[in-house]
Every structure is written in structure tokens, then in C-alpha cells.
Amino acid sequence: MALYEESVHKAFDRIKHSKLNAYITLDKEGALETAGKVDDGKVSGRLAGMTVAVKDCITTKGLLTTCGSKILSGYVPPFDAEVVARLRKEGAVITGKTNMDEFAMGTSTESSYYGPTKNPWDLTRVPGGSSGGSGAAVAGLECRMALGTDTGGSVRCPASFCGVVGIKPTYGLVSRYGVIAYANSLEQVGPMARNVSDAALLLDVIAGHDPKDSTSVPHDACYTDHLVEDVKGLTIGVPKEYFGEGTDKKVDNAVWSAIMKLDKLGADYKEVSLPHTKYALSAYYIIAMCEASSNLARFDGLRYGLRIGKDENWHTTFSRIRAEGFGEEVKRRIMLGTYALSEGYYGKYYLKALKVRTLIKQDFEKVFKGVDVLAAPTMPTTAFKIGEHADDPLSMYMADIDTVPVNLAGVPSISVPCGFAGKLPIGIQFIGGFFDEPKIIRTAHTYELNTDFQKLPEGF
């Protein structure tokens, strides 16, 4: 059997016997067809023959795209998202669509209509969210790389919980054309892989200006050129606000050990402050929910997606489809967002949140005048139990405390494994200034080469 076809068969054999529920839709036929063309020399490119999974909120021509929601069950897009088109152009073998929190609203991948994804390191725990399917698929060897989307940490959280690498690029670096929007001023498509080299390679392929996306920024760079083992001369800022109440002691120790490691390798470090971080979570959830209430208004079942019963008047039909099609978390966020945007409350909540966002962005701009990158915990804890926060959504939201400021500011961040608490991985994130992906990749790559935390879960 030819080389790449064999690798596809191995990946699908693992998926067949997997307990992770990492995928919503598989495309074995399409994967074998592409792999066969690569084997025959008819297809080439930087990702030729490499298996890549795609989060289910990114449209794929001819392949089911549900956003993890019942309301989009049966929706098959007639076009590829720009990032998917770039994968195909470079010869990637797309294995399928990965599971996610419904409409990317979540920190655990428990709110998917297609059931929760499980963490490869402990099947009783969540993989993180909302790109939990992508993180679990990479960690469980069900693909080599994956695409996720990061709205408030949704690439970095599952990277941390699953012990893999995830990059949230600078806002505007990667096209959002074809990404089903949750909160479009915050979200970016990001690569996930088992090492920094593969993540940088995937970023090389998907980054770049796209005239179809008005938020896309012309900015050329080759990220794999910055896979160098050298942090000499770099100054690492350690924001004190990221080590506050709620951070697990083992996470705290692992992240500080990583900073000490980089110090020994030639980098300097110093404590810095991002004083408006304490307002980030509140501002993030108001902005995200307001944008969600607007973006999800289009899902009415009348043009595509779920249809139920006989049509009556527009209001009744519309309400019944949305009541049945959306899950509880999506309904909660739509209602809160609609309330915050309503007359009399817009200035009190949404406008104030936007002002806070500006202050947070200014915090980052100010601190990067004195340091090259920031180092902080990706998540304040390791992966929690499935169902642990089911009755307390507020406590779930609090888990995003270390990731959402990056999305509000629009700067890049990479999460890499930096230790374990028992058998569960811990992640450290390196945050850069605008378009400073080369610096955070260089820092993460150097750290990765000098540590041994890039391990496989037991049994994989």
C-alpha cells in the first residue's frame, strides 16, 4: 500500500476504535482520494499527505458543517472557507470535522449537540473548549494537525488540557471568510499540533491577506523561519495578575519552572503589570454575548438548517425552530446579549465594555515597550471532570480568566505543554505584541527543545 494511503488507514483505524468522540463528521473517502493523488505525484505542497482535521464551525464544500448544533443539522456548505481552500492547495488530507461546543460557546466541549468529547489523558475529564475535538484528535493521534478557532481561548484551552500546541494568531492575520461567526471581533482561526514546528508550518499555510475578508490584514511572514533554538537577549514579562486567586499551585509552580528554564537558556525576565486584567472577563462576556445575539439571528430555519412541523405565521415558526434547534448555553448567551443591547442598557453594558477593551489593549501596548514576550499560565487549572460545572455556568466562565485578555487586545499567543499535575498536562502561554508571532514561536520552540513534556497519553 502506498505511504500516504497507509497513514490515512491508520488514522481512521484509530478513530474507529476511539472513545474520544473527537469528530462529528468523517471523510475517509475524500482523505483516501487526496492521499492517493499525493502518492501518485498528482498533488504536492507543503502539507502534502499530512492529515489535518477541521473544526466544525469552518465551512467545507460538500462536507457536513453543523457548528455542533442541532439547528444546522444537515447543512452541507457549497463552498470552502479560505483556510480550508489553502489546506487543499497545499495537499493536506482532511480527515473530517471535529467536535466543538455549540457555536463555539464553551470551555469544555460538553455543550455539543453530538455529545461531549473526552480528554485522551483521562476519559472522565473534558478536553477543553470550544475546539476540544481538534485538541483531542491531535493528542489521540487521530490526525497530525488540526484547525480550531479561538474566541476567548478556544484553541489555547484545549491545547493546555490535552498537552498539545495551539496558536491564537494576531487578529486579522488569518482569514475568517467561511468561519461561522460567534463573536467576530474576537475570534481567529488557529493551528493545533503536537509540536511547535507543525503548528508554525500550519500557520504558514493559513496566514495571509484575503480580499474576501474585510478584517484581513496584508502581512507577510514565514513562521517556520523562526524555528530557532535561541532566546538570548529576549526579555520575558511575567504579568502578576495572571497568578492570582484561583490559580492551582501546581500550575503556578510549573509555569514558574518554565520561566526559570528560559532564564537559564539566556532570556531575562521581570515582573510586569496589566492593571485592567481584572475587568477583562466581564468585558469579554458582554461583548461576546452581544455579538452572538446579533450573529445568531440569521439562524431561523427558514433559509437552511433545521425544519420542524408545519409552517404557521412567521413569529411562531421562527420561535419554535430556534427553541428546539439551540441548546441551553446558546439560548442563555443570546438572551443576555440581547438584554445588554436593548434600549436603556446599551450604554450601561456594551459601550462600557468596549471602553474597557480599549484600556486592556493599551495595557498590552504599554507593557510591550519594555518586554519582548509575556509568559503566563494558559489555564488556571488542569482539565476538570465532565459535568463538574454543569449547574454553575459562571464558574465555567471564570476558567477563561487567563486567555480572554489576549482576544480583547487582538494580540497573538501560543500555548505549549510545561508540566503535569499527576497525569494531567499543564500549559504555559507566550503572548506577543501585534504580529509578533515570530517571537512567540521562537520562545516556544526553544523551550520545547529543552524540555520533555511533549508526551503521548497512556495507551496511545
Side-chain angles (χ1 to χ4, degrees):
M1 187 180 295
L3 177 65
Y4 293 111
E5 282 192 37
E6 185 178 359
S7 71
V8 170
H9 280 292
K10 284 182 178 177
F12 277 87
D13 190 52
R14 278 191 290 271
I15 295 169
K16 181 180 177 181
H17 296 97
S18 172
K19 297 179 181 177
L20 302 179
N21 193 31
Y23 287 86
I24 292 175
T25 304
L26 293 169
D27 186 19
K28 186 175 182 179
E29 186 179 339
L32 284 171
E33 182 182 350
T34 304
K37 289 179 180 176
V38 175
D39 282 324
D40 294 340
K42 296 176 181 174
V43 169
S44 60
R46 301 188 69 184
L47 299 178
M50 300 180 191
T51 52
V52 182
V54 177
K55 188 176 180 180
D56 205 33
C57 60
I58 302 172
T59 54
T60 41
K61 184 178 181 179
L63 193 61
L64 190 68
T65 300
T66 72
C67 255
S69 178
K70 184 179 179 181
I71 205 163
L72 277 178
S73 53
Y75 173 60
V76 179
F79 69 101
D80 277 331
E82 176 63 19
V83 290
V84 174
R86 294 185 185 208
L87 293 183
R88 296 193 198 279
K89 186 179 178 183
E90 293 293 337
V93 175
I94 295 176
T95 50
K97 308 299 289 294
T98 51
N99 204 2
M100 56 182 284
D101 280 308
E102 186 178 4
F103 282 99
M105 298 179 187
T107 310
S108 64
T109 313
E110 291 175 286
S111 72
S112 170
Y113 175 66
Y114 301 90
T117 294
K118 297 175 182 175
N119 191 314
W121 292 88
D122 180 345
L123 295 178
T124 68
R125 295 178 184 270
V126 304
S130 62
S131 308
S134 293
V138 170
L141 301 176
E142 296 179 6
C143 60
R144 177 165 170 174
M145 312 170 187
L147 291 183
T149 59
D150 194 313
T151 309
S154 298
V155 162
R156 290 162 289 154
C157 169
S160 177
F161 282 2
C162 293
V164 299
V165 176
I167 300 176
K168 182 269 171 197
T170 301
Y171 188 82
L173 185 68
V174 177
S175 173
R176 293 177 48 259
Y177 175 77
V179 177
I180 298 175
Y182 155 34
N184 40 296
S185 78
L186 298 163
E187 61 203 1
Q188 280 284 275
V189 178
M192 304 183 77
R194 279 191 290 280
N195 54 59
V196 178
S197 299
D198 276 357
L201 173 60
L202 193 50
L203 185 61
D204 269 353
V205 170
I206 63 173
H209 182 241
D210 175 16
K212 298 188 294 299
D213 177 2
S214 62
T215 65
S216 176
V217 177
H219 184 86
D220 294 325
C222 181
Y223 302 102
T224 46
D225 284 350
H226 298 274
L227 293 168
V228 293
E229 185 181 358
D230 181 14
V231 290
K232 291 185 179 67
L234 283 183
T235 302
I236 299 172
V238 185
K240 61 183 181 182
E241 291 83 4
Y242 285 64
F243 295 82
E245 186 181 351
T247 302
D248 187 282
K249 193 64 182 174
K250 290 178 180 174
V251 172
D252 191 304
N253 291 339
V255 171
W256 270 107
S257 294
I259 295 166
M260 293 297 107
K261 182 73 176 179
L262 288 165
D263 180 59
K264 287 181 180 176
L265 292 170
D268 294 322
Y269 77 91
K270 64 179 182 181
E271 188 178 86
V272 296
S273 177
L274 298 165
H276 295 96
T277 298
K278 57 187 174 185
Y279 305 119
L281 206 58
S282 303
Y284 167 80
Y285 274 101
I286 289 172
I287 293 169
M289 290 180 189
C290 288
E291 293 188 12
S293 77
S294 175
N295 283 322
L296 270 60
R298 76 192 69 172
F299 299 106
D300 54 12
L302 303 180
R303 285 158 286 198
Y304 49 81
L306 182 69
R307 298 287 294 167
I308 53 172
K310 291 175 60 178
D311 287 350
E312 299 179 48
N313 65 66
W314 185 84
H315 288 289
T316 303
T317 303
F318 175 91
S319 298
R320 192 171 59 229
I321 288 171
R322 285 168 67 86
E324 187 163 325
F326 287 136
E328 293 304 312
E329 182 61 30
V330 174
K331 290 176 188 172
R332 181 183 298 118
R333 297 194 188 200
I334 289 174
M335 286 191 288
L336 288 169
T338 304
Y339 176 78
L341 287 175
S342 60
E343 186 176 2
Y345 295 100
Y346 174 87
K348 187 176 181 182
Y349 296 115
Y350 184 61
L351 191 59
K352 189 174 288 184
L354 292 179
K355 290 178 179 176
V356 171
R357 180 180 191 169
T358 299
L359 294 173
I360 289 168
K361 179 171 171 283
Q362 289 172 346
D363 278 353
F364 279 100
E365 290 171 341
K366 191 174 179 181
V367 81
F368 279 121
K369 290 178 180 175
V371 302
D372 294 292
V373 298
L374 299 173
T378 305
M379 300 298 292
T381 67
T382 53
F384 45 84
K385 291 273 189 181
I386 292 174
E388 187 174 330
H389 298 293
D391 299 324
D392 186 7
L394 195 58
S395 67
M396 183 89 83
Y397 299 165
M398 292 294 289
D400 297 335
I401 187 83
D402 293 336
T403 52
V404 297
V406 165
N407 299 78
L408 289 168
V411 295
S413 173
I414 183 171
S415 177
V416 293
C418 72
F420 292 88
K423 292 183 179 180
L424 298 175
I426 296 170
I428 182 173
Q429 61 174 334
F430 298 112
I431 304 166
F434 294 104
F435 301 108
D436 267 349
E437 278 83 355
K439 281 183 185 173
I440 61 173
I441 286 171
R442 173 184 160 194
T443 307
H445 183 63
T446 301
Y447 176 72
E448 184 182 75
L449 290 179
N450 287 278
T451 54
D452 61 350
F453 299 124
Q454 293 71 45
K455 298 177 179 176
L456 288 173
E458 192 174 329
F460 286 84

